[in-house]
Amino acid sequence: MARPKEFNESRALAAAMGLFWERGYEATAMRDLSAHTGVAISSLYATFGGKHDIYLAALAEYRRAEVAEMEQRLAAPGPLRGTLADIFARLIERLMADPARRGSFTLNAAVELGGQDQSVTAQLRQHFDEVAILLAGRLAAAQAAGEIAGRFPAADLAHFLLFGLYALAMMVKVYPDRPHLERAAAVTLAVLDN
């Protein structure tokens, strides 16, 4: 008879995600994951698979949370320009509140493994496409209503804004000061102006 698991899988995955987010994939070993999660290496293998499998599961969980948050923020009532300004402001707040300046787990994955690891690249492409589609839908409606400028196709504008958000997560590692990030956000959002 198999022994019941003596650890919480979601907590272990969250702890593994935190370690990968802080150190990156290459700098994290299975023994580090075991020590950080408090789960024996054999149990990690039995539950999640190897390091790569744990990383992919952590990335998928982070993506799920990021998409859910974006859906919630974009569903907020009111003008889209204000909604997007709020999304940028909340991101800046989160980035500045993190003393480790980890940025974004998805962005870090793209920088470290994007284009080199097929599974990670596929997840990231799916993620960025999903978020861009969410943004494009709201942008197209706002353009049709004359609320924001219509000089760029909504899909192109969505990708520009999406990568503007991720640029802040990269910038905070080099320029960890709020005014710098806020100016960059303002310039990015200016593309919406009529």
Side-chain angles (χ1 to χ4, degrees), residues 7-159:
F7 66 93
N8 181 295
E9 286 183 37
S10 60
R11 274 194 293 240
L13 187 59
M17 179 196 309
L19 191 61
F20 282 129
W21 194 356
E22 186 176 321
R23 292 187 184 177
Y25 178 77
E26 292 298 332
T28 303
M30 282 298 288
R31 69 180 173 282
D32 301 323
L33 290 167
S34 176
H36 196 72
T37 61
V39 178
I41 290 176
S42 59
S43 294
L44 288 174
Y45 274 111
T47 303
F48 300 107
K51 179 176 102 166
H52 192 255
D53 299 307
I54 298 170
Y55 186 84
L56 291 175
L59 180 58
E61 181 60 24
Y62 185 91
R63 288 177 44 223
R64 184 202 60 72
E66 202 168 67
V67 168
E69 181 181 2
M70 183 63 78
E71 283 177 321
Q72 179 186 15
R73 299 280 174 238
L74 288 174
L80 180 59
R81 178 77 160 75
T83 298
L84 291 173
D86 182 61
I87 289 170
F88 274 78
R90 286 174 185 265
L91 175 61
I92 290 169
E93 187 62 39
R94 186 177 310 136
L95 293 170
M96 293 304 301
D98 181 4
R101 303 289 185 245
R102 295 174 300 169
S104 161
F105 187 58
T106 46
L107 176 67
N108 295 352
V111 169
E112 183 179 15
L113 298 172
Q116 298 174 29
D117 183 305
Q118 190 174 14
S119 300
V120 171
T121 302
Q123 271 204 44
L124 292 171
R125 181 169 292 185
Q126 181 182 4
H127 177 70
F128 296 142
D129 287 348
E130 189 173 354
V131 176
I133 288 168
L134 290 172
L135 276 168
R138 278 295 310 270
L139 289 162
Q143 285 175 328
E147 181 187 328
I148 62 170
R151 52 185 190 269
F152 301 109
D156 294 344
L157 192 54
H159 279 99

Side-chain angles (χ1 to χ4, degrees), residues 1-6 46:
M1 178 183 226
R3 289 179 22 193
K5 286 191 174 111
E6 297 177 8

